[in-house]
Amino acid sequence: MRMALSALLALWLAGPAAAQISEAPAPVTESDEVVPTFPDPAQRRRVITAIARNKEQPAEQVVAGLSKDSVAITASFDGSEILIYGAIKRETPIPPGPPLQVIVTVEAPSRPLTIWRKERKAGIWINTEKVEIGAAPGFYAVATSAPLESILQEEWDRRYRISLPLALRAYAGKLAVEDAVPFTEALIRLRQNNGLYRLAEGGVKLVDQTLFRADVSLPANLIEGDYKTRIFLLRDGQVMDVYRAPIEVRKVGVERWLYRLAFDQPLLYGLMSLAVAVIAGWGASAVFRKLRRA
């Protein structure tokens, strides 16, 4: 009896100690942030992820907007102007050191292509060597607040593919030439002459390292697709923050109908084109006959 009472007394004394151990505070994560405990593990993971994102936010962030987020291509379309503007959001004063710089890029959808080198043989220009590019944007514009080479380090350029040569994706397949650089340089030069590739150094106006604006001109020979706008915030050649926004470019009206008809019903589109050519030829001949009689 005496042993039974001793055992009951020991269990009663151990109860508070066991309760104190089970109510120990939640462990501290690797980010030194105390994360509250939740009965749902998924909710706990979301809280941990939110804390990590808040700690990764840069001290200076881009807050920007576009004058238009869609472009309609009509029969009278001769190009468009897009104003890209914004400000720098910061919680602390402007840090000392190199001044802030801004780079703005506008990129059309990328497509694979083949670059040919022509040579004259027996008085005829023929295609000889070629280089296949995995993907190249149909339009690419870069505007900077200062000369590009002086504000952007090469490693950051390779990471984000900002400059014109790096906008071209990797080569497709095995190279059939010893040096592919002249081919890519020729492609960039030709598209620059056509207004499809542009580099406007000083095209971004930056005021007091806080406000900025850039005017980007879109050419008349745009292709349809979802264009990408990127705004890079840089200090000492390094990218501090990136802002992204889409621009939708679509054909509308009769142009859209004819474009879809050519792809969805090519036979009907060909017959309609033939009929238009016949009617135009007959009408022109009739007009010339009347002019001769007169």
Short mmCIF file of all heavy atoms in Angstrom, two decimals, residues 102-146:
data_model
loop_
_atom_site.label_atom_id
_atom_site.label_comp_id
_atom_site.label_asym_id
_atom_site.label_seq_id
_atom_site.Cartn_x
_atom_site.Cartn_y
_atom_site.Cartn_z
N VAL A 102 19.44 53.30 -65.24
CA VAL A 102 18.23 52.59 -65.65
C VAL A 102 18.39 52.13 -67.10
O VAL A 102 18.88 52.88 -67.95
CB VAL A 102 16.98 53.48 -65.52
CG1 VAL A 102 15.74 52.74 -66.03
CG2 VAL A 102 16.77 53.90 -64.07
N ILE A 103 17.98 50.89 -67.36
CA ILE A 103 17.96 50.33 -68.71
C ILE A 103 16.56 49.81 -68.99
O ILE A 103 15.97 49.12 -68.16
CB ILE A 103 18.98 49.18 -68.88
CG1 ILE A 103 20.40 49.69 -68.64
CG2 ILE A 103 18.86 48.56 -70.27
CD1 ILE A 103 21.45 48.59 -68.72
N VAL A 104 16.02 50.15 -70.16
CA VAL A 104 14.69 49.72 -70.57
C VAL A 104 14.83 48.91 -71.86
O VAL A 104 15.52 49.34 -72.81
CB VAL A 104 13.75 50.91 -70.81
CG1 VAL A 104 12.40 50.45 -71.34
CG2 VAL A 104 13.57 51.70 -69.51
N THR A 105 14.19 47.74 -71.92
CA THR A 105 14.20 46.91 -73.12
C THR A 105 12.78 46.55 -73.51
O THR A 105 11.93 46.34 -72.64
CB THR A 105 15.02 45.62 -72.94
OG1 THR A 105 14.36 44.77 -71.98
CG2 THR A 105 16.42 45.92 -72.44
N VAL A 106 12.52 46.49 -74.81
CA VAL A 106 11.24 46.04 -75.35
C VAL A 106 11.56 44.96 -76.37
O VAL A 106 12.31 45.20 -77.33
CB VAL A 106 10.45 47.19 -76.00
CG1 VAL A 106 9.15 46.67 -76.60
CG2 VAL A 106 10.16 48.28 -74.98
N GLU A 107 10.99 43.78 -76.18
CA GLU A 107 11.37 42.61 -76.99
C GLU A 107 10.14 41.96 -77.58
O GLU A 107 9.16 41.69 -76.88
CB GLU A 107 12.14 41.61 -76.13
CG GLU A 107 12.57 40.36 -76.85
CD GLU A 107 13.33 39.41 -75.95
OE1 GLU A 107 13.60 39.78 -74.79
OE2 GLU A 107 13.64 38.29 -76.39
N ALA A 108 10.20 41.68 -78.89
CA ALA A 108 9.13 40.95 -79.58
C ALA A 108 9.32 39.45 -79.39
O ALA A 108 10.38 39.01 -78.93
CB ALA A 108 9.13 41.31 -81.06
N PRO A 109 8.31 38.64 -79.69
CA PRO A 109 8.48 37.19 -79.60
C PRO A 109 9.64 36.71 -80.47
O PRO A 109 9.90 37.25 -81.55
CB PRO A 109 7.14 36.65 -80.11
CG PRO A 109 6.16 37.75 -79.86
CD PRO A 109 6.93 39.02 -80.05
N SER A 110 10.35 35.70 -79.99
CA SER A 110 11.52 35.16 -80.69
C SER A 110 11.12 33.99 -81.59
O SER A 110 10.20 33.22 -81.26
CB SER A 110 12.58 34.71 -79.69
OG SER A 110 13.04 35.81 -78.93
N ARG A 111 11.83 33.88 -82.70
CA ARG A 111 11.59 32.79 -83.64
C ARG A 111 12.93 32.27 -84.15
O ARG A 111 13.90 33.02 -84.25
CB ARG A 111 10.74 33.28 -84.83
CG ARG A 111 9.35 33.75 -84.45
CD ARG A 111 8.62 34.27 -85.67
NE ARG A 111 7.27 34.73 -85.34
CZ ARG A 111 6.44 35.27 -86.22
NH1 ARG A 111 6.83 35.44 -87.49
NH2 ARG A 111 5.23 35.65 -85.85
N PRO A 112 13.00 30.98 -84.49
CA PRO A 112 14.24 30.45 -85.09
C PRO A 112 14.42 30.98 -86.51
O PRO A 112 13.44 31.27 -87.22
CB PRO A 112 14.02 28.94 -85.08
CG PRO A 112 12.53 28.77 -85.05
CD PRO A 112 11.99 29.93 -84.27
N LEU A 113 15.65 31.13 -86.94
CA LEU A 113 15.93 31.61 -88.29
C LEU A 113 17.28 31.08 -88.76
O LEU A 113 18.09 30.58 -87.97
CB LEU A 113 15.90 33.14 -88.34
CG LEU A 113 16.80 33.93 -87.39
CD1 LEU A 113 18.19 34.12 -87.97
CD2 LEU A 113 16.19 35.28 -87.09
N THR A 114 17.52 31.24 -90.05
CA THR A 114 18.76 30.79 -90.67
C THR A 114 19.42 31.98 -91.35
O THR A 114 18.77 32.70 -92.12
CB THR A 114 18.50 29.68 -91.70
OG1 THR A 114 17.84 28.59 -91.05
CG2 THR A 114 19.80 29.18 -92.31
N ILE A 115 20.69 32.18 -91.08
CA ILE A 115 21.46 33.27 -91.68
C ILE A 115 22.34 32.66 -92.77
O ILE A 115 23.15 31.76 -92.52
CB ILE A 115 22.33 33.98 -90.63
CG1 ILE A 115 21.48 34.40 -89.43
CG2 ILE A 115 23.03 35.19 -91.25
CD1 ILE A 115 22.30 34.94 -88.28
N TRP A 116 22.20 33.16 -94.00
CA TRP A 116 22.96 32.66 -95.14
C TRP A 116 24.02 33.66 -95.55
O TRP A 116 23.83 34.88 -95.43
CB TRP A 116 22.04 32.39 -96.33
CG TRP A 116 21.13 31.21 -96.17
CD1 TRP A 116 19.86 31.21 -95.66
CD2 TRP A 116 21.42 29.87 -96.54
NE1 TRP A 116 19.35 29.95 -95.67
CE2 TRP A 116 20.28 29.10 -96.21
CE3 TRP A 116 22.53 29.23 -97.10
CZ2 TRP A 116 20.21 27.72 -96.44
CZ3 TRP A 116 22.47 27.86 -97.33
CH2 TRP A 116 21.33 27.12 -97.00
N ARG A 117 25.11 33.14 -96.03
CA ARG A 117 26.15 33.97 -96.65
C ARG A 117 26.11 33.74 -98.15
O ARG A 117 26.20 32.61 -98.62
CB ARG A 117 27.53 33.61 -96.11
CG ARG A 117 28.67 34.28 -96.88
CD ARG A 117 30.01 33.89 -96.32
NE ARG A 117 30.26 34.54 -95.03
CZ ARG A 117 31.26 34.21 -94.23
NH1 ARG A 117 32.08 33.22 -94.56
NH2 ARG A 117 31.43 34.85 -93.08
N LYS A 118 25.99 34.83 -98.90
CA LYS A 118 25.92 34.74 -100.35
C LYS A 118 27.28 35.02 -100.97
O LYS A 118 28.01 35.90 -100.52
CB LYS A 118 24.90 35.73 -100.91
CG LYS A 118 23.46 35.36 -100.60
CD LYS A 118 22.49 36.27 -101.33
CE LYS A 118 21.06 35.83 -101.10
NZ LYS A 118 20.10 36.67 -101.86
N GLU A 119 27.58 34.27 -102.00
CA GLU A 119 28.81 34.46 -102.77
C GLU A 119 28.48 34.46 -104.26
O GLU A 119 27.54 33.78 -104.69
CB GLU A 119 29.83 33.36 -102.46
CG GLU A 119 30.36 33.39 -101.04
CD GLU A 119 31.43 32.34 -100.81
OE1 GLU A 119 31.76 31.62 -101.79
OE2 GLU A 119 31.93 32.23 -99.68
N ARG A 120 29.27 35.22 -105.00
CA ARG A 120 29.03 35.32 -106.43
C ARG A 120 29.88 34.28 -107.16
O ARG A 120 31.12 34.30 -107.09
CB ARG A 120 29.38 36.71 -106.93
CG ARG A 120 28.96 36.97 -108.37
CD ARG A 120 29.09 38.44 -108.72
NE ARG A 120 28.60 38.73 -110.04
CZ ARG A 120 28.52 39.95 -110.56
NH1 ARG A 120 28.90 40.98 -109.83
NH2 ARG A 120 28.04 40.12 -111.77
N LYS A 121 29.20 33.37 -107.83
CA LYS A 121 29.87 32.32 -108.59
C LYS A 121 29.29 32.27 -109.99
O LYS A 121 28.07 32.17 -110.16
CB LYS A 121 29.71 30.96 -107.91
CG LYS A 121 30.39 30.88 -106.54
CD LYS A 121 30.27 29.49 -105.94
CE LYS A 121 31.00 29.41 -104.61
NZ LYS A 121 30.91 28.05 -104.00
N ALA A 122 30.18 32.36 -110.98
CA ALA A 122 29.78 32.36 -112.39
C ALA A 122 28.78 33.47 -112.68
O ALA A 122 27.84 33.31 -113.47
CB ALA A 122 29.20 31.01 -112.79
N GLY A 123 28.97 34.61 -112.02
CA GLY A 123 28.11 35.76 -112.26
C GLY A 123 26.78 35.70 -111.57
O GLY A 123 25.93 36.56 -111.81
N ILE A 124 26.56 34.71 -110.69
CA ILE A 124 25.27 34.55 -110.01
C ILE A 124 25.51 34.52 -108.50
O ILE A 124 26.43 33.84 -108.03
CB ILE A 124 24.55 33.26 -110.45
CG1 ILE A 124 24.33 33.27 -111.96
CG2 ILE A 124 23.23 33.10 -109.72
CD1 ILE A 124 23.73 31.99 -112.49
N TRP A 125 24.69 35.26 -107.75
CA TRP A 125 24.78 35.25 -106.29
C TRP A 125 23.99 34.06 -105.76
O TRP A 125 22.80 33.92 -106.03
CB TRP A 125 24.22 36.54 -105.69
CG TRP A 125 25.09 37.73 -105.96
CD1 TRP A 125 24.95 38.63 -106.97
CD2 TRP A 125 26.20 38.14 -105.19
NE1 TRP A 125 25.93 39.59 -106.89
CE2 TRP A 125 26.72 39.31 -105.79
CE3 TRP A 125 26.84 37.65 -104.04
CZ2 TRP A 125 27.83 39.98 -105.30
CZ3 TRP A 125 27.93 38.32 -103.55
CH2 TRP A 125 28.41 39.48 -104.17
N ILE A 126 24.66 33.19 -105.05
CA ILE A 126 24.02 32.00 -104.50
C ILE A 126 24.34 31.88 -103.01
O ILE A 126 25.34 32.43 -102.54
CB ILE A 126 24.46 30.71 -105.23
CG1 ILE A 126 25.97 30.53 -105.09
CG2 ILE A 126 24.06 30.74 -106.68
CD1 ILE A 126 26.48 29.22 -105.66
N ASN A 127 23.48 31.17 -102.30
CA ASN A 127 23.71 30.91 -100.88
C ASN A 127 24.75 29.81 -100.71
O ASN A 127 24.65 28.76 -101.35
CB ASN A 127 22.40 30.50 -100.19
CG ASN A 127 21.37 31.61 -100.18
OD1 ASN A 127 21.73 32.78 -100.10
ND2 ASN A 127 20.10 31.25 -100.24
N THR A 128 25.72 30.06 -99.84
CA THR A 128 26.77 29.06 -99.63
C THR A 128 26.74 28.55 -98.18
O THR A 128 26.21 27.47 -97.92
CB THR A 128 28.14 29.66 -99.96
OG1 THR A 128 28.33 30.87 -99.20
CG2 THR A 128 28.24 29.98 -101.44
N GLU A 129 27.30 29.31 -97.24
CA GLU A 129 27.35 28.88 -95.85
C GLU A 129 26.16 29.45 -95.07
O GLU A 129 25.60 30.48 -95.43
CB GLU A 129 28.66 29.34 -95.20
CG GLU A 129 29.90 28.75 -95.86
CD GLU A 129 31.17 29.29 -95.24
OE1 GLU A 129 31.19 30.48 -94.90
OE2 GLU A 129 32.12 28.51 -95.09
N LYS A 130 25.81 28.74 -93.99
CA LYS A 130 24.67 29.18 -93.19
C LYS A 130 24.92 28.92 -91.71
O LYS A 130 25.73 28.07 -91.33
CB LYS A 130 23.39 28.46 -93.62
CG LYS A 130 23.40 26.98 -93.32
CD LYS A 130 22.06 26.34 -93.67
CE LYS A 130 22.06 24.84 -93.32
NZ LYS A 130 20.75 24.21 -93.61
N VAL A 131 24.20 29.68 -90.88
CA VAL A 131 24.21 29.51 -89.43
C VAL A 131 22.76 29.55 -88.96
O VAL A 131 22.03 30.50 -89.29
CB VAL A 131 25.03 30.60 -88.72
CG1 VAL A 131 24.82 30.54 -87.21
CG2 VAL A 131 26.50 30.44 -89.04
N GLU A 132 22.34 28.56 -88.21
CA GLU A 132 20.98 28.49 -87.70
C GLU A 132 20.94 29.01 -86.26
O GLU A 132 21.69 28.54 -85.40
CB GLU A 132 20.46 27.05 -87.76
CG GLU A 132 20.34 26.51 -89.18
CD GLU A 132 19.78 25.10 -89.21
OE1 GLU A 132 19.57 24.54 -88.12
OE2 GLU A 132 19.58 24.56 -90.31
N ILE A 133 20.07 29.98 -86.03
CA ILE A 133 19.90 30.59 -84.71
C ILE A 133 18.68 29.95 -84.04
O ILE A 133 17.62 29.79 -84.67
CB ILE A 133 19.71 32.11 -84.82
CG1 ILE A 133 20.90 32.74 -85.55
CG2 ILE A 133 19.53 32.72 -83.44
CD1 ILE A 133 22.20 32.61 -84.81
N GLY A 134 18.85 29.57 -82.78
CA GLY A 134 17.74 28.93 -82.07
C GLY A 134 16.53 29.83 -81.94
O GLY A 134 15.40 29.40 -82.13
N ALA A 135 16.73 31.11 -81.62
CA ALA A 135 15.62 32.06 -81.49
C ALA A 135 16.19 33.47 -81.53
O ALA A 135 17.20 33.76 -80.89
CB ALA A 135 14.84 31.83 -80.19
N ALA A 136 15.52 34.33 -82.27
CA ALA A 136 15.92 35.73 -82.37
C ALA A 136 14.66 36.58 -82.34
O ALA A 136 13.69 36.27 -83.04
CB ALA A 136 16.70 36.00 -83.64
N PRO A 137 14.62 37.64 -81.53
CA PRO A 137 13.42 38.48 -81.47
C PRO A 137 13.21 39.23 -82.78
O PRO A 137 14.16 39.70 -83.40
CB PRO A 137 13.71 39.43 -80.30
CG PRO A 137 15.20 39.46 -80.19
CD PRO A 137 15.67 38.10 -80.61
N GLY A 138 11.94 39.34 -83.18
CA GLY A 138 11.65 40.09 -84.39
C GLY A 138 11.85 41.58 -84.22
O GLY A 138 12.09 42.29 -85.19
N PHE A 139 11.78 42.07 -82.99
CA PHE A 139 12.03 43.48 -82.68
C PHE A 139 12.68 43.54 -81.31
O PHE A 139 12.26 42.82 -80.38
CB PHE A 139 10.73 44.28 -82.70
CG PHE A 139 10.89 45.69 -82.20
CD1 PHE A 139 11.41 46.68 -83.02
CD2 PHE A 139 10.51 46.04 -80.91
CE1 PHE A 139 11.56 47.99 -82.56
CE2 PHE A 139 10.65 47.33 -80.44
CZ PHE A 139 11.17 48.31 -81.27
N TYR A 140 13.70 44.37 -81.17
CA TYR A 140 14.37 44.50 -79.89
C TYR A 140 14.93 45.90 -79.76
O TYR A 140 15.69 46.36 -80.62
CB TYR A 140 15.50 43.48 -79.76
CG TYR A 140 16.05 43.36 -78.36
CD1 TYR A 140 15.32 42.75 -77.35
CD2 TYR A 140 17.31 43.86 -78.03
CE1 TYR A 140 15.82 42.63 -76.07
CE2 TYR A 140 17.81 43.75 -76.75
CZ TYR A 140 17.07 43.13 -75.78
OH TYR A 140 17.56 43.03 -74.50
N ALA A 141 14.52 46.60 -78.71
CA ALA A 141 14.95 47.97 -78.47
C ALA A 141 15.53 48.08 -77.08
O ALA A 141 14.97 47.53 -76.11
CB ALA A 141 13.79 48.95 -78.64
N VAL A 142 16.65 48.78 -76.97
CA VAL A 142 17.33 49.00 -75.69
C VAL A 142 17.51 50.50 -75.52
O VAL A 142 18.07 51.16 -76.40
CB VAL A 142 18.68 48.28 -75.63
CG1 VAL A 142 19.33 48.50 -74.26
CG2 VAL A 142 18.53 46.80 -75.90
N ALA A 143 17.05 51.03 -74.40
CA ALA A 143 17.25 52.44 -74.07
C ALA A 143 17.94 52.51 -72.70
O ALA A 143 17.56 51.79 -71.77
CB ALA A 143 15.92 53.19 -74.02
N THR A 144 18.97 53.34 -72.60
CA THR A 144 19.76 53.42 -71.37
C THR A 144 19.88 54.88 -70.92
O THR A 144 19.69 55.81 -71.71
CB THR A 144 21.16 52.83 -71.59
OG1 THR A 144 21.88 53.68 -72.51
CG2 THR A 144 21.09 51.44 -72.16
N SER A 145 20.21 55.03 -69.65
CA SER A 145 20.42 56.37 -69.10
C SER A 145 21.85 56.85 -69.28
O SER A 145 22.15 58.01 -68.98
CB SER A 145 20.05 56.39 -67.61
OG SER A 145 20.81 55.42 -66.90
N ALA A 146 22.75 55.97 -69.73
CA ALA A 146 24.16 56.30 -69.96
C ALA A 146 24.71 55.26 -70.93
O ALA A 146 24.03 54.28 -71.25
CB ALA A 146 24.94 56.30 -68.64
#
